[in-house]
Amino acid sequence: DGTDHPLIIKVASIPVSRLQVYFIDNDDYFTRKGIECDENGNTFTDNGERAIFFARGVLETVKKLRWTPDIIHCQGWMSAIVPLYVKEAYKDEPCFRDCKIVSSLYDAKIEGTIGEDFKKCLAFGNINEDSLGNYNENFDFKELEKLAIDFSDGIIEMDTDIMPELKTYAQEKKKPYLPYPGEDFLESYKAFYNTL
């Protein structure tokens, strides 16, 4: 909506593995107890804006830190916009040029839309409402997952109970697809990443 929202980046480290962890934060969007719904089960009306803020915040942070990821693995609805932005809005950025995107499908069946005028809010760079014409005007969480599938290089099932419509949609795209690998997924993921 043209409003500036401050991006707060917090860094922590896991000493044993010498791994740094970066947290994206914003007082307007992320100080709630629930992730997508309030304590009464009502879906937040700004979930779409929050997902856009998260996606752009992460991608801008990657640019500023001059990282060059080989694979970006998106998990959950909050990251479902990342594939679109990497493939369209950031496609000329050297750090993302050769990057492969993997999206995970979950069994989460969240009700409701993700915000009013979501397509308009999603516009960024060369992405506009016309380029999103294949998606429903009433943008819900299922439509958001379809967006992630369309712009990902590979899809992974994260559960045995994926929504059948999304599973079929993903398989019809003829992209690399990893069925649910079970609880011991590390080797399956490595092999899948290597195919990309």
Side-chain angles (χ1 to χ4, degrees):
D1 61 1
T3 304
D4 286 333
H5 296 279
L7 173 66
I8 302 164
I9 301 171
K10 298 177 182 178
V11 183
S13 61
I14 303 171
V16 175
S17 62
R18 296 182 0 197
L19 178 72
Q20 282 191 312
V21 181
Y22 290 77
F23 296 91
I24 300 295
D25 201 1
N26 174 274
D27 291 338
D28 298 324
Y29 289 138
F30 304 120
T31 57
R32 305 165 188 179
K33 290 183 180 177
I35 297 174
E36 65 271 335
C37 301
D38 64 19
E39 59 275 356
N40 299 319
N42 299 315
T43 306
F44 293 126
T45 58
D46 64 351
N47 277 334
E49 287 181 32
R50 294 169 62 224
I52 291 168
F53 180 86
F54 175 77
R56 288 191 56 192
V58 167
L59 296 173
E60 288 295 329
T61 300
V62 169
K63 271 178 49 180
K64 296 276 187 234
L65 295 174
R66 297 184 181 173
W67 290 341
T68 306
D70 295 318
I71 293 178
I72 297 175
H73 191 153
C74 301
Q75 298 200 32
W77 68 268
M78 185 75 71
S79 67
I81 297 166
V82 170
L84 168 69
Y85 279 174
V86 169
K87 297 294 184 176
E88 295 297 322
Y90 289 88
K91 66 182 177 183
D92 295 327
E93 291 292 335
C95 60
F96 297 117
R97 193 170 294 139
D98 298 321
C99 181
K100 299 295 182 186
I101 308 291
V102 175
S103 286
S104 291
L105 298 180
Y106 287 84
D107 68 344
K109 296 170 183 73
I110 306 166
E111 299 296 324
T113 64
I114 57 172
E116 205 171 294
D117 295 327
F118 180 70
K119 284 186 181 181
K120 183 179 176 185
C121 292
L122 197 56
F124 174 61
N126 61 343
I127 301 167
N128 56 44
E129 289 182 71
D130 292 337
S131 65
L132 300 169
N134 292 336
Y135 303 98
N136 293 333
E137 286 304 316
N138 188 12
F139 225 99
D140 59 10
F141 289 89
K142 186 177 6 175
E143 207 67 10
L144 189 61
E145 291 298 329
K146 288 180 180 179
L147 181 79
I149 290 166
D150 288 342
F151 290 93
S152 292
D153 297 298
I155 309 297
I156 294 177
E157 284 184 16
M158 292 300 294
D159 261 311
T160 56
D161 189 27
I162 302 299
M163 190 182 303
E165 181 183 342
L166 284 178
K167 186 173 183 173
T168 300
Y169 186 85
Q171 291 171 335
E172 287 173 351
K173 296 296 176 179
K174 305 284 188 219
K175 296 180 179 191
Y177 188 91
L178 179 64
Y180 180 60
E183 296 294 320
D184 190 18
F185 56 83
L186 185 60
E187 292 306 315
S188 299
Y189 275 25
K190 284 182 186 177
F192 185 73
Y193 290 160
N194 286 332
T195 66
L196 301 175

